[in-house]
Amino acid sequence: MRTATACPGTCNSAWRRAETIREEAGTEHTLTPAWGRPVQCDACTERARHQLAELPELLVAVQLESLNGSRSPSTATIGSRGSSDAPAWPGQAARLLLEAVLGEMEELETDILIRRGIWAVDAEPKSDGITEGRRITDAAKILGAHLDWMMQHHPAAGEPHDHGNANPAAQIRGWHGAAQRFIKAHPQHDVRKLAPCPRCHGPYLAESRDLRLVDDRPYIECRDPDCQRILTGVEYDAYVKALAAGISRAA
């Protein structure tokens, strides 16, 4: 019978601190840990699932910042930047963050698919001819499909959720937090929850701020520079209706 282990997530941060004090100073405590099922607890697993599901939308906002190129006195990237190390050009900080997060997402995706025997050992994700938005969406979907496995069975699943370690949940938390901090540090544009683009399938659709209105409704345009699909309001409504019908049939 497998011995229960304390979840390595942030849910047990206070318990781990209390245990350290008990071991070092002999001070007893009454805290009890959240137990893993079998490695990480249900709450940490669902938190990682939620953060991973939000990542595409957060990264869309970061990418819009790279396209619009506004500056901000503070930036949030995966790596630390000194106060004097300002971006060389507007939008550079957003590009650095996007490239870092997407690169790490695809690295974890590759690691998991190889470990699970789905890809060959020397396999690498293909990016030629694939838009950045589609790469983000695909990586998030693949990681989401394997989330239960990687939370409990990945070799690093038992590592505490500290910054910079290989625990998949810690990595997701780091990406999500970096994107959130970046968005708060930079003025954002009209990012609204819209359906994925019908052409590139990336989460980049937004109401146009530049094209003229049609029947008092804005055009819907894909902000992915490699796609730039444009829909009228009527076309977008019909697309969403067909998309919802397809989802209902598949359910």
Side-chain angles (χ1 to χ4, degrees), residues 22-231:
R22 181 184 63 80
E23 293 171 1
E24 293 177 351
T27 304
E28 296 295 332
H29 65 85
T30 59
L31 298 179
T32 57
W35 298 108
R37 298 183 180 275
V39 178
Q40 304 196 53
C41 70
D42 292 342
C44 283
T45 299
E46 291 310 307
R47 184 182 304 111
R49 195 186 313 279
H50 179 72
Q51 291 174 339
L52 185 60
E54 286 187 341
L55 261 176
E57 185 178 348
L58 291 172
L59 293 179
V60 166
V62 175
Q63 205 229 23
L64 288 180
E65 183 61 43
S66 75
L67 295 176
N68 287 280
S70 63
R71 293 185 182 273
S72 173
S74 61
T75 60
T77 61
I78 290 289
S80 60
R81 301 176 61 88
S83 58
S84 61
D85 187 17
W89 41 269
Q92 183 189 27
R95 290 301 327 156
L96 291 173
L97 175 59
L98 272 172
E99 290 166 7
V101 171
L102 181 54
E104 291 177 12
M105 289 175 72
E106 291 182 332
E107 183 179 350
L108 179 59
E109 169 195 340
T110 301
D111 176 50
I112 289 168
L113 293 178
I114 290 174
R115 290 183 183 279
R116 304 205 72 182
I118 299 171
W119 280 5
V121 174
D122 58 349
E124 294 182 0
K126 304 293 185 183
S127 59
D128 294 343
I130 303 175
T131 66
E132 189 173 64
R134 183 63 181 267
R135 288 171 61 197
I136 291 169
T137 303
D138 287 351
K141 285 182 178 178
I142 291 171
L143 292 176
H146 295 273
L147 187 129
D148 289 326
W149 180 89
M150 67 187 184
M151 292 291 288
Q152 311 301 342
H153 303 292
H154 190 278
E159 296 180 8
H161 291 198
D162 297 327
H163 177 72
N165 72 16
N167 189 318
Q171 293 188 63
I172 293 170
R173 180 170 169 246
W175 304 330
H176 186 272
Q180 276 195 326
R181 289 191 297 273
F182 188 93
I183 291 169
K184 289 179 181 178
H186 289 256
Q188 290 304 306
H189 306 277
D190 53 346
V191 180
R192 225 184 97 202
K193 285 187 178 180
L194 296 176
C197 176
R199 175 185 288 162
C200 70
H201 305 292
Y204 282 74
L205 289 182
E207 292 182 351
S208 173
R209 292 174 289 116
D210 303 315
L211 300 174
R212 64 180 179 83
L213 298 178
V214 177
D215 296 329
D216 295 324
R217 292 186 62 185
Y219 275 100
I220 305 298
E221 61 180 348
C222 180
R223 296 291 179 82
D224 187 327
D226 296 320
C227 179
Q228 297 184 326
R229 175 70 183 271
I230 296 176
L231 303 169

Side-chain angles (χ1 to χ4, degrees), residues 9-21 29 31-33:
T10 54
C11 59
N12 279 333
S13 295
W15 175 80
R16 282 194 290 271
R17 286 195 297 269
E19 281 289 285
T20 299
I21 294 172
H29 65 85
L31 298 179
T32 57

